[in-house]
Amino acid sequence: MNENFFADYKKFIVVPEDEKRVGKEVFAPEHYSAHYILTMSIFDARLSTWRDAGKFEIDIEKSIKAVLEDFNQKQHKNYHLELLELDKFTNYFILALSCKTKFEQGKENDSIGHIIDHMLMNPFYVGQKWFTLIGEKGRVERKLFCYSYMEYKLEAQDYSTKEGKYDNVSKLIPKNVRKHGDGSCASMPNELAPNELSLVSNREQ
């Protein structure tokens, strides 16, 4: 065979879709039908604040970002997760969950629970070794997270910037109803700011 037969092979290279997406896609809220703010804490925790995680040789921020990056790559057709808040002096962190298709009314709790318990838990529990952060009860029940959530509603506005992209979820406006992981509901004062809503949700778990 002529050794120059494939000399122009570069013209025929097609990079697989997922490879092109990694690290290049900017979050665009207008492409999603619903958004939820999740307040996550450790079930049966062995640490009082995230500062204690170093005792277990775990970098909390690095762990969370690694799991979210993998989740967003695998679930980009359906969901997007973004870390909004992580304070080393607290024992919870805040995530934004965006969904391409809005959850069926009345089944939001089951849908969000499925994402946390079946899509997120194992990558944290095994992959990032967060099983070391929970006590015997958590290991027996194989439960890692306690959580609460609130739906965010997109305000009627233009989400494009000068560059034509928007990657800040902080402009989303919260509804005044919060739903816990156990399905219960509570009314929330309209005047509370988003960060206050998250804090209230965590305190009332």
Side-chain angles (χ1 to χ4, degrees):
M1 179 182 291
N2 190 324
E3 63 181 14
N4 293 322
F5 182 78
F6 292 108
D8 59 348
Y9 74 92
K10 290 184 179 295
K11 298 178 181 179
F12 300 88
I13 295 176
V14 179
V15 180
E17 180 182 359
D18 284 347
E19 293 299 319
K20 291 189 296 184
R21 299 179 65 92
V22 176
K24 295 183 179 180
E25 183 171 293
V26 176
F27 173 69
E30 67 271 18
H31 295 162
Y32 295 81
S33 298
H35 307 266
Y36 300 86
I37 301 304
L38 312 180
T39 303
M40 312 279 291
S41 62
I42 300 296
F43 175 75
D44 192 26
R46 298 176 63 193
L47 69 176
S48 56
T49 69
W50 297 125
R51 288 191 304 172
D52 300 330
K55 300 176 183 178
F56 304 94
E57 300 183 350
I58 292 178
D59 184 325
I60 292 296
E61 183 173 6
K62 185 177 180 181
S63 287
I64 294 174
K65 289 183 176 180
V67 171
L68 298 193
E69 181 179 357
D70 183 65
F71 178 91
N72 289 335
Q73 179 182 345
K74 293 178 178 178
Q75 302 295 332
H76 65 265
K77 293 183 179 180
N78 299 307
Y79 309 110
H80 178 87
L81 279 171
E82 179 180 341
L83 176 63
L84 297 182
E85 181 182 320
L86 175 65
D87 186 336
K88 65 180 180 179
F89 295 104
T90 68
N91 62 352
Y92 63 89
F93 59 95
I94 311 296
L95 299 179
L97 169 66
S98 299
C99 311
K100 291 287 181 71
T101 302
K102 188 175 179 63
F103 295 137
E104 185 177 343
Q105 187 173 3
K107 295 186 177 181
E108 298 92 342
N109 189 65
D110 290 341
S111 299
I112 291 176
H114 176 79
I115 292 173
I116 292 174
D117 294 334
H118 297 281
M119 296 183 184
L120 287 179
M121 195 192 81
N122 277 341
F124 278 110
Y125 192 93
V126 179
Q128 299 299 321
K129 300 181 180 180
W130 280 32
F131 63 86
T132 60
L133 303 180
I134 62 177
E136 185 65 22
K137 181 179 179 181
R139 296 184 188 184
V140 170
E141 296 184 19
R142 196 170 175 78
K143 181 177 179 181
L144 181 60
F145 292 117
C146 292
Y147 66 93
S148 61
Y149 66 93
M150 174 180 284
E151 183 179 3
Y152 261 49
K153 185 178 179 182
L154 280 173
E155 191 176 7
Q157 59 178 286
D158 182 6
Y159 286 89
S160 60
T161 65
K162 293 180 181 179
E163 293 76 27
K165 296 179 179 179
Y166 180 87
D167 60 356
N168 188 350
V169 77
S170 64
K171 295 292 182 68
L172 302 179
I173 307 302
K175 288 183 176 181
N176 64 344
V177 174
R178 174 174 51 79
K179 294 187 177 181
H180 294 276
D182 61 6
S184 60
C185 300
S187 296
M188 304 297 294
N190 289 326
E191 65 271 14
L192 288 180
N195 61 324
E196 293 174 321
L197 290 169
S198 297
L199 292 173
V200 171
S201 296
N202 183 72
R203 290 198 298 267
E204 295 184 357
Q205 286 182 17

